[in-house]
Amino acid sequence: MQKGIALIAGVTGISGHNLANVLVASGWTVYGLARQPVAQEGVIPVAGDLLDAASMQKALHGLPITHVFFCTWTRRATEKENVEANGAMMRNLCDALTDAPLQHVALVTGTKHYLGSFENYGSGRAETPFRESEPRQPGENFYYTLEDILFAAARQHDFTWSVHRSHTMIGKAKGTNAMNMGVTLAVYASICKATGQPFVFPGSRTQWDALTDLTDAGLLGRQLEWAALSPAARNEAFNTVNGDVFRWRWMWGEIAAFFDLEPAPHPGTPMPLEARLKDVAPAQWREIAADHGLVEADVDKLASWWHTDADLGREIECVNDMTKSRERGFLGFHDSRASFLELFTRLRAERLIP
């Protein structure tokens, strides 16, 4: 039975790609919006640039979209520019769908809602576990801008909304993704294996020792579908994490074991990946790709050193509360160790890592 006609903005990213798989399998008609769509089974490609209002009007004209899933963002040099660019994307999308029979729009954001923007990362005053009832943190944050534009459009055009605050997301993207820790760590481990470098945790001692959690992209997809259809989820924000917690000092050993590596002890101070690998990794990865017949020799299309450094370099604990989702009927759970190992296995099967 068809459940709705979905438009996924950012269908080639981690959240969008995995959401599309969930919706297609569940019987939705799915349109996938991207600047350069990539073929995906069951997804109708729509080419358009969210930063270009005219492009959006042309791409979406006449499409009978009932549900929108906003799973994308663009990175700029400052938070002021992030606010302007990402706000324009949400505004252009909503304006292009004013004649569509919209019922619900879902927005994917993240734990930076509680932590503050990249410029003030970790400056947020929210206490763990983070709850959706926490007030917004001081300063500009493009997540807040996206929410405000969405809320105004929902009031004006009479559709419902939901906001989904994921943590570090683990999954495979269809295209290049700017926030891809799982693939980044797989590439890093593969480089260490090939070159004999120690597999050193790049982040802070706080992250090494503290409890944390993460978000499997497939679980996010299931929560997004649930919220789109459940009356209990209308006009609500939800944290979206797997439901378990771990310490990186344990998880690092589990990741090392998959790649037949010995986990190095914490070095005492952060050793960011970008500073260590940005200049040498491209050549190293080309050699690894040639030796193993990998399908992608450009390491910059796989790894996002900067974002992994940001996540693992935090000096505060990051744990998200899932009580609100549970009380309203979403009971999804995913083992975080399995999130990594399932991803690594898939990357090997698709010859993206050795």
Side-chain angles (χ1 to χ4, degrees):
M1 182 180 295
Q2 181 176 307
K3 295 184 177 179
I5 301 175
L7 175 71
I8 301 175
V11 72
T12 59
I14 297 178
S15 57
H17 172 64
N18 288 276
L19 169 64
N21 290 337
V22 169
L23 296 184
V24 169
S26 190
W28 293 66
T29 297
V30 180
Y31 289 88
L33 175 66
R35 283 174 296 179
Q36 297 179 324
V38 180
Q40 183 173 350
E41 185 175 356
V43 177
I44 304 165
V46 179
D49 184 353
L50 282 164
L51 286 167
D52 184 335
S55 172
M56 283 296 92
Q57 293 289 340
K58 180 179 178 181
L60 302 181
H61 178 71
L63 296 185
I65 304 300
T66 60
H67 295 73
V68 172
F69 301 89
F70 194 92
C71 302
T72 189
W73 75 293
T74 187
R75 186 187 181 197
R76 293 293 187 266
T78 68
E79 193 61 18
K80 184 176 186 300
E81 292 172 284
N82 280 334
V83 165
E84 292 172 354
N86 289 277
M89 290 165 64
M90 175 63 84
R91 194 174 292 108
N92 291 340
L93 180 63
C94 291
D95 289 348
L97 291 170
T98 53
D99 293 329
L102 282 185
Q103 299 174 23
H104 186 85
V105 177
L107 167 64
V108 176
T109 62
T111 303
K112 285 193 301 300
H113 186 95
Y114 309 110
L115 295 174
S117 67
F118 285 122
E119 291 179 0
N120 299 299
Y121 208 38
S123 64
R125 299 176 185 142
E127 291 189 356
T128 54
F130 300 138
R131 295 179 174 85
E132 297 90 341
S133 57
E134 284 283 348
R136 290 179 175 182
Q137 304 304 304
E140 287 190 303
N141 189 322
F142 77 87
Y143 286 170
Y144 305 158
T145 301
L146 290 172
E147 286 186 348
D148 289 342
I149 295 170
L150 171 60
F151 300 161
R155 288 191 298 269
Q156 183 177 357
H157 301 292
D158 196 27
F159 57 79
T160 61
W161 54 265
S162 60
V163 176
H164 303 260
R165 298 171 185 161
S166 60
H167 195 185
T168 300
M169 199 179 305
I170 305 301
K172 182 179 178 294
K174 193 68 175 177
T176 303
N177 193 278
M179 297 195 294
N180 199 330
M181 179 191 283
V183 179
T184 299
L185 292 182
V187 169
Y188 172 47
S190 299
I191 290 174
C192 290
K193 182 72 173 178
T195 62
Q197 299 176 47
F199 189 49
V200 177
F201 183 74
S204 69
R205 187 79 201 204
T206 299
Q207 287 305 299
W208 181 254
D209 290 331
L211 289 172
T212 192
D213 52 28
L214 53 81
T215 304
D216 187 87
L219 180 130
L220 170 62
R222 296 194 296 276
Q223 192 199 52
L224 283 162
E225 183 189 25
W226 164 78
L229 300 174
S230 173
R234 291 173 183 166
N235 302 334
E236 296 288 348
F238 296 100
N239 290 334
T240 314
V241 290
N242 286 347
D244 60 353
V245 294
F246 63 91
R247 301 182 200 276
W248 274 108
R249 66 190 187 207
W250 171 80
M251 186 67 80
W252 202 246
E254 299 300 302
I255 294 173
F258 182 93
F259 291 94
D260 296 320
L261 291 166
E262 285 294 326
H266 193 279
T269 58
M271 297 183 65
L273 295 173
E274 187 167 33
R276 292 164 53 204
L277 297 176
K278 183 178 181 181
D279 294 331
V280 299
Q284 291 174 332
W285 193 254
R286 283 193 298 270
E287 184 174 344
I288 292 169
D291 289 344
H292 294 273
L294 304 184
V295 298
E296 182 54 72
D298 184 352
V299 73
D300 291 330
K301 291 184 178 179
L302 298 172
S304 53
W305 312 122
W306 70 273
H307 186 264
T308 297
D309 285 340
D311 269 12
L312 298 182
R314 300 167 182 156
E315 294 292 348
I316 59 174
E317 180 183 72
C318 295
V319 178
N320 294 268
D321 183 79
M322 285 291 287
T323 301
K324 184 177 179 181
S325 280
R326 305 286 185 255
E327 290 179 339
R328 290 173 182 266
F330 181 73
L331 305 178
F333 173 87
H334 200 93
D335 178 77
S336 292
R337 176 180 177 273
S339 292
F340 280 114
L341 302 192
E342 289 164 0
L343 172 63
F344 299 157
T345 300
R346 182 177 177 186
L347 295 176
R348 275 187 175 167
E350 297 184 11
R351 292 191 297 119
L352 286 163
I353 62 172

